[in-house]
Amino acid sequence: MQLQWTTITKQTFIQDYWQKQPVVLKQALPGFVDPIEAEELAGLAMEEFVDSRIVTNHAGNWQLQQGPFEDFGQFGETNWSLLVQGVDNYYESVQALLKTVNFIPKWRIDDVMVSFSTPGGGVGAHLDQYDVFIIQGQGKRRWQAGNVDTQLQQSETCANLLQLDGFAPILDELLEPGDILYVPPFSPHCGETIESSLSYSIGFRAPNGQELLSAFADHAIDHDLGQTRYQDDANELGAERFSPSQNEINKLKQQVIDLIKTPGLFERFLNQKLTIATRELDLVAPICHATTDNLPDLLQEFGEVKKVLGLKSTIITIEQETYFMCAGEEFILKQDQLEFVELLNSQSTVTKINVNSSLNDLENRQLLATLINQGYWYFDE
Ligand code: SIN
Ligand code: CO
């Protein structure tokens, strides 16, 4: 599915709107067909492991309920929305929507949230910290959005629902199937459903310094790094004091900077971290424990092995070492494994014909067996 650029070209969008201004891309996906049905979405929202919520709005009385849900009859015909996160990890057809934003690096993507909304439904005026593309599927919704304003303050209208008192819209449009609304971080926005609707929010992520530092500290601990201790300069000693001198502070700061600047370390940490799933993966328990011995037979029997939906992976060379990073795990590769791992990395399914000769290599069999035993790749029964 390709996004159809019109008067707003890809270049104009990137230059003038991305992270700057909300905009409606009218009929960017002409003839759009919903990749999921409302009933299927409701089915997902009944599952314990899926993050879902229902927001109701009756005469200004907002309520938010967290899933899982048992029945939806109580909510009636109007004034509520069901929002389900990470639907791309469960429906290949929903994951395929991500192709529409392939002009933004994949690591920036968080998930596809799908909302089913009845007339009068919505989540009220609010802002998000992340970019979002809202693809309108069936039905119609009126969207208003305002200029980016990092000073706007939200308040908790009811438990777990942050809203804005109001905002000055610079955009007020009726979205129909195939239209896309883009909303940058801190742009206030509000959707109101006119006709029962399905919409698809492609959300992005942007780590802040706090999250990076905390994850980097975990990485350093896990890999037993940064053990070098502070040492005094003799000429700083002699007088009574508690506080560190500026020179001592600089040395301590440098200790942290030096660790982060260790050649290849941050690159390795970051690439590994970015393959960690942001939403729960639908891992598949292996049909039996895969080993380097039984793997060729299993492949012969099933014909192909599939990658779990939503699994993130990358191949990266850092300081002469090549790594396969997958779901936050790191595998060091030998040069002759590259062809096989590139196949695993780029394809959702690999067939026995694709991989047969690669499996003569013990390391390749070891890697694939591990990936199967972890539930990342599976034989479809
Ligand atoms: C919705 O679909 O109602 C909420 C999407 C959003 O505002 O980000
Ligand atoms: Co929003």
Side-chain angles (χ1 to χ4, degrees), residues 300-316:
Q300 184 63 32
E301 185 183 339
F302 291 96
E304 59 182 29
V305 62
K306 289 185 170 176
K307 189 194 294 188
V308 147
L309 217 53
L311 189 91
K312 293 189 172 78
S313 64
T314 186
I315 300 170
I316 179 113

Side-chain angles (χ1 to χ4, degrees), residues 53 81-83 113-117 121-124 126-128 130 132-134 141 143 181 183 189-193 197-201:
R53 58 200 196 278
S81 287
L82 163 68
L83 304 103
M113 180 197 78
V114 184
S115 44
F116 169 73
S117 189
V123 299
H126 69 283
L127 44 85
D128 301 308
Y130 306 98
V132 62
F133 284 96
I134 303 174
R141 294 181 94 182
W143 281 96
L181 167 69
V183 186
H189 54 285
C190 181
E192 187 201 342
T193 307
S197 143
L198 276 169
S199 52
Y200 308 84
S201 300

